[in-house]
Amino acid sequence: THLVQAGALTKAIRAVSAPQPLAPPDAVRQQAPDHFPSHAIPKSPPAALRPLPDSDRLIFQANLTAALQHAKPRTAPGIDGTRVEHLRLLRDDPEAMDMFGRVMFWMPTDDLPAEARDVLLTGRLIPLSKPDGRIRPIVIGTIWRRLAMKAVGTLWAPKVADIVRPYQFCTGRKAGAEELFWATYARLELDPQLSHTGVDMTNAFGSLDRAAIWDAVTTLLPELAPWASLILAHQQTIRWN
């Protein structure tokens, strides 16, 4: 009822139609470690903790404000319970909004205490069950982290797209994997003489080697290294109960 009252009709229909069941505890304990490598990659402190340019901070804060404005309401909260509706109250106070932007921008640097960074990076695990008995692990990060990553993505998306476009289909497109599947299906329908063995997109990004990602970022886009270090080189806590 509360979803309908909030105008979230799609979520309301999904909630009452066929909710995906949670995976049994034994399956989660057995399979979850394979989805979340416990080791962090080596990092270079001078590169990872170098102060970020103030010009980037101003653009980042503008992107953060836009991300806060356009974030979908009533999205699932992280482990701390904070929702986007709570943070939108900051827009009424320019000084509070400026401090919020600075804290988010300091996230990958030593300007933010390690204890605070650990809390912001903590995720909540929702292990869904697949028909084949495997788990679909959904990790819900804090809204602080989600907004910060949205602002970072907007800031550096054009440069990242130029670098990966020759290797990645549908770069920057929503539901790119689904588009690839239906494009392949349509091509096969046009020519009955064509055949294929399968289209495999299982956990594509999760299967990438972390060290390879780190090497590529530091070589091709070093200005993104502090944020890459935040995700790849810091041990993050994922809670499940």
Side-chain angles (χ1 to χ4, degrees):
T1 303
H2 68 281
L3 291 175
V4 175
Q5 293 174 345
L9 299 182
T10 301
K11 288 185 177 181
I13 293 173
R14 190 184 304 126
V16 299
S17 57
Q20 194 168 358
L22 294 176
D26 288 344
V28 178
R29 295 188 186 97
Q30 182 179 5
Q31 300 177 36
D34 294 335
H35 291 273
F36 307 105
S38 59
H39 62 282
I41 64 168
K43 70 175 181 178
S44 170
L49 302 178
R50 184 183 300 127
L52 299 168
D54 199 58
S55 58
D56 282 352
R57 180 181 63 81
L58 297 177
I59 301 175
F60 172 87
Q61 286 188 257
N63 292 339
L64 186 67
T65 301
L68 185 60
Q69 171 69 29
H70 299 294
K72 293 181 179 180
R74 305 199 67 84
T75 53
I79 197 73
D80 64 341
T82 304
R83 294 180 180 270
V84 65
E85 289 85 350
H86 301 148
L87 296 181
R88 279 182 177 159
L89 297 175
L90 298 174
R91 296 178 300 172
D92 298 332
D93 187 334
E95 184 177 351
M97 192 65 197
D98 179 70
M99 182 53 66
F100 169 60
R102 289 176 182 272
V103 170
M104 293 297 94
F105 192 70
W106 292 337
M107 196 184 296
T109 73
D110 278 346
D111 291 325
L112 188 68
E115 295 81 4
R117 186 185 302 111
D118 291 342
V119 172
L120 296 179
L121 293 180
T122 298
R124 180 163 61 97
L125 175 63
I126 307 295
L128 302 179
S129 180
K130 293 183 178 181
D132 61 2
R134 301 176 63 188
I135 69 169
R136 184 188 303 278
I138 306 297
V139 176
I140 302 176
T142 63
I143 189 62
W144 310 84
R145 169 177 171 168
R146 281 180 271 168
L147 289 174
M149 293 300 106
K150 181 69 174 180
V152 169
T154 304
L155 180 59
W156 281 290
K159 292 184 178 180
V160 173
D162 289 341
I163 293 172
V164 304
R165 187 171 287 115
Y167 313 100
Q168 182 180 336
F169 184 82
C170 287
T171 301
R173 296 178 68 94
K174 188 175 182 179
E178 185 174 357
E179 185 172 335
L180 173 60
F181 171 82
W182 287 111
T184 303
Y185 181 83
R187 183 67 183 89
L188 293 171
E189 286 290 304
L190 290 174
D191 190 345
Q193 295 183 349
L194 294 177
S195 63
H196 75 294
T197 57
V199 180
D200 184 8
M201 290 173 271
T202 302
N203 197 26
F205 290 111
S207 301
L208 291 174
D209 184 81
R210 269 65 172 172
I213 298 174
W214 176 251
D215 290 341
V217 169
T218 53
T219 301
L220 301 174
L221 202 61
E223 57 265 44
L224 194 56
W227 296 97
S229 174
L230 181 69
I231 303 301
L232 298 173
H234 285 86
Q235 199 74 264
Q236 301 174 43
T237 301
I238 299 176
R239 298 188 180 277
W240 165 64
N241 53 25

